Amino acid sequence: MPAGGFMVDGPVNSFSGKITVSVVITCIVAASSGLIFGYDIGISGGVTTMVPFLKKFFPSVLRKAAEAKTNIYCMYDSQVLTAFTSSLYIAGLASSLVASRLTAALGRRNIMLLGGCTFLAGAAVNGGAANIAMLILGRILLGFGVGFTNQATPVYLSEVAPSKWRGAFNTGFQFFIGVGVVAANCINFGTAKRSWGWRLSLGLAVVPAAFMTIGALFISDSPSSLVERGKMEQARNSLQRVRGKDADIETELGHLIKSSEVAKAASGEPFVTILERQYRPHLVMAIAIPFFQQLTGINIVAFYAPVLFQSVGFGSDSALIGAIILGVVNLGSILVSTGVVDRFGRRFLFLVGGITMCVCQVGVACVLALSTGVSGTKHISKGYAILVLVLMCIYASGFGWSWGPLSWLIPSEIFPMKIRPTGQSISVAVNFATTFVLSQTFLTMLCHFKYGTFLFYAGWVAAMTLFVALFLPETKGIPLDSMYAVWEKHWYWRRFVKAQL
């Protein structure tokens, strides 16, 4: 038997399904859970530039900014300030690992509901925060919510979408992350001048959380999850709903049932099973891809875009507008990915996006070095500041069509059913762990490395692009439970899976 699956009769896409109104609505509702993650990414960076917010919680940062005339890179270097951003990711790391078992036991949809409710509570606490302790507590609750939804949603989307269009549907999660970022940046711009604006910005996180949570009440769980939990009739109804009333679903349902039986026959601790040699390729990808995604530097740029633009010469309003522009460009490029990911494949987009990001980051470093000097003591001119924004926009577009959506897609589609929630949990946990370290150290790195910060990330982008070229097989159009075939044919990974045949 092939590792992680079983042979199917006929071509691997024999039950790939078609796009129906029901599957579109279901996937849109599920993908909307990305709103809460995106909103948080966008809102935190803008709030940390608001004077009333800093005056109430971080007065030392304001004093340092007033004295930072000698080095533009060190204006916002504060470990307490970065803890406000990064505390969410420690909570997300913990909840994503717990979510593995909960997702298998309770279903994908129910974990999305749990995540939405937890995020809702965190938004309310943050909006009413009276001290740093409440602020951090709210961030931790937000982290639990994001951890649950980021674990469950990509898996749900991959299981519900037709195989032929799985890439396009799964990019919806990243698209809603982008929508959340842009919405948050716009809200920050509108509230920045008000003394209570930071409360409104943080508190309005309840809106995407409520939208996503209420929407999830009206969709069914994925057929794979229902079969896994022995709810066969519900699984049949769910599959009929997303594939269409006229679709013959029995072949696909039978395939899911057999996958579930294989998974149960090979019973064992999922976190132990995933360490077996035959799953080595899957585990490497589940760790490497989210790790590399964060080392593109994109979330750091998103968190601190207003801070970054303010540091390199934009005024307060201009910095927020720059962040909005960056978010809109990223959002547009995600739509490009949605349209071409199932046509040109995952590898092509990864490689083109990686090259684009690497070139742009080297360009930003060169512009900053020329315009501010090696020590960062020169004031950057308006022309150079605009050039930095243009390069960052091109960089954001490269991320938006490649490492943004595909880093959620690949881990959600490569694992067999029995360890799929575990694999996704590991992927999300690695993502959060890396994000925590980078977000906690970025402002200090910017202060000490100066323009070299962007060369640091450019080096990592070059390394991960080479990794994809050598080690990532193409997965477009392959049904989830026939995915073993891509490893069998790969020049390197076949040595791990063929031994298990």
Side-chain angles (χ1 to χ4, degrees):
M1 182 182 296
F6 54 89
M7 282 295 183
V8 293
D9 297 324
V12 293
N13 61 349
S14 57
F15 46 81
S16 59
K18 61 180 181 179
I19 296 176
T20 64
V21 173
S22 181
V23 78
V24 169
I25 293 174
T26 298
C27 287
I28 287 175
V29 170
S32 69
S33 64
L35 280 172
I36 63 176
F37 190 28
Y39 187 89
D40 180 80
I41 290 172
I43 215 69
S44 57
V47 164
T48 52
T49 65
M50 295 182 185
V51 173
F53 176 80
L54 294 174
K55 187 179 294 183
K56 182 173 181 63
F57 297 107
F58 308 101
S60 62
V61 175
L62 280 180
R63 290 194 296 271
K64 183 178 289 189
E67 299 166 359
K69 296 177 182 177
T70 58
N71 192 331
I72 66 168
Y73 295 107
C74 297
M75 289 174 63
Y76 292 92
D77 181 18
S78 166
Q79 288 301 301
V80 181
L81 180 61
T82 50
F84 164 71
T85 296
S86 60
S87 57
L88 178 145
Y89 295 93
I90 286 295
L93 168 62
S95 65
S96 63
L97 292 175
V98 173
S100 169
R101 296 182 184 280
L102 293 178
T103 302
L106 304 178
R108 292 32 162 169
R109 188 201 73 149
N110 290 334
I111 299 306
M112 287 189 278
L113 284 170
L114 177 61
C117 292
T118 310
F119 192 94
L120 200 65
V125 171
N126 266 356
N131 50 52
I132 291 180
M134 285 186 69
L135 207 59
I136 300 300
L137 173 61
R139 295 290 292 173
I140 290 172
L141 289 172
L142 295 177
F144 284 136
V146 169
F148 288 135
T149 55
N150 284 16
Q151 196 279 340
T153 303
V155 171
Y156 181 94
L157 291 169
S158 287
E159 291 178 341
V160 169
S163 297
K164 185 179 179 181
W165 306 106
R166 186 172 60 245
F169 279 100
N170 205 289
T171 60
F173 181 65
Q174 182 69 27
F175 175 77
F176 276 104
I177 291 177
V179 171
V181 170
V182 172
N185 286 332
C186 291
I187 289 169
N188 279 337
F189 180 74
T191 61
K193 299 296 184 183
R194 294 168 174 80
S195 61
W196 43 267
W198 63 270
R199 288 194 185 277
L200 184 60
S201 290
L202 294 176
L204 280 176
V206 301
V207 176
F211 176 83
M212 167 257 166
T213 305
I214 293 171
L217 291 171
F218 295 95
I219 61 175
S220 62
D221 208 344
S222 72
S224 295
S225 178
L226 292 166
V227 167
E228 187 180 17
R229 290 181 289 140
K231 300 182 177 183
M232 299 305 172
E233 194 57 37
Q234 291 183 40
R236 178 178 279 102
N237 294 336
S238 176
L239 194 59
Q240 192 76 69
R241 190 177 300 115
V242 295
R243 298 291 180 257
K245 293 181 179 179
D246 300 328
D248 180 8
I249 61 166
E250 294 306 319
T251 302
E252 183 173 359
L253 182 61
H255 199 83
L256 293 175
I257 292 171
K258 190 167 184 179
S259 289
S260 179
E261 291 171 351
V262 169
K264 290 176 181 177
S267 59
E269 169 57 46
F271 281 99
V272 174
T273 301
I274 204 171
L275 297 177
E276 293 176 4
R277 180 179 172 83
Q278 61 182 313
Y279 302 121
R280 190 72 48 78
H282 312 66
L283 182 60
V284 168
M285 293 301 163
I287 294 172
I289 288 179
F291 176 74
F292 282 142
Q293 185 203 40
Q294 291 310 307
L295 282 166
T296 62
I298 188 66
N299 273 353
I300 306 306
V301 171
F303 294 149
Y304 301 116
V307 170
L308 179 64
F309 290 138
Q310 209 163 343
S311 294
V312 300
F314 286 88
S316 180
D317 286 348
S318 297
L320 290 172
I321 292 174
I324 292 172
I325 294 171
L326 204 63
V328 170
V329 169
N330 180 60
L331 195 58
S333 62
I334 295 169
L335 290 176
V336 172
S337 180
T338 302
V340 302
V341 64
D342 291 309
R343 180 178 302 175
F344 296 108
R346 284 63 159 151
R347 279 171 50 85
F348 175 79
L349 293 181
F350 266 131
L351 296 175
V352 175
I355 293 169
T356 301
M357 287 187 290
C358 186
V359 170
C360 288
Q361 285 176 321
V362 171
V364 169
C366 292
V367 171
L368 292 178
L370 289 172
S371 59
T372 66
V374 175
S375 63
T377 55
K378 296 180 183 178
H379 184 74
I380 189 171
S381 68
K382 183 178 180 181
Y384 277 127
I386 292 174
L387 181 55
V388 168
L389 176 60
V390 171
L391 287 171
M392 293 303 292
C393 284
I394 299 173
Y395 158 83
S397 68
F399 177 85
W401 73 60
S402 61
W403 283 88
L406 300 184
S407 295
W408 297 107
L409 170 61
I410 296 296
S412 73
E413 68 180 0
I414 60 174
F415 286 95
M417 183 187 293
K418 65 179 177 179
I419 54 172
R420 193 172 296 150
T422 304
Q424 184 66 16
S425 286
I426 291 173
S427 178
V428 174
V430 170
N431 187 298
F432 282 144
T434 311
T435 304
F436 169 76
V437 173
L438 294 179
S439 61
Q440 188 66 32
T441 58
F442 175 72
L443 293 180
T444 299
M445 183 186 295
L446 185 63
C447 180
H448 290 86
F449 284 19
K450 303 177 178 63
Y451 63 86
T453 302
F454 296 95
L455 294 178
F456 170 82
Y457 286 117
W460 278 106
V461 173
M464 63 203 225
T465 302
L466 181 62
F467 173 84
V468 167
L470 292 176
F471 296 110
L472 183 67
E474 183 55 65
T475 56
K476 70 170 184 176
I478 308 296
L480 294 181
D481 293 302
S482 299
M483 197 63 70
Y484 59 84
V486 304
W487 308 111
E488 291 177 10
K489 297 174 182 177
H490 191 269
W491 71 273
Y492 180 76
W493 297 122
R494 63 189 177 193
R495 72 187 66 183
F496 294 93
V497 299
K498 278 191 176 295
Q500 308 299 320
L501 295 178

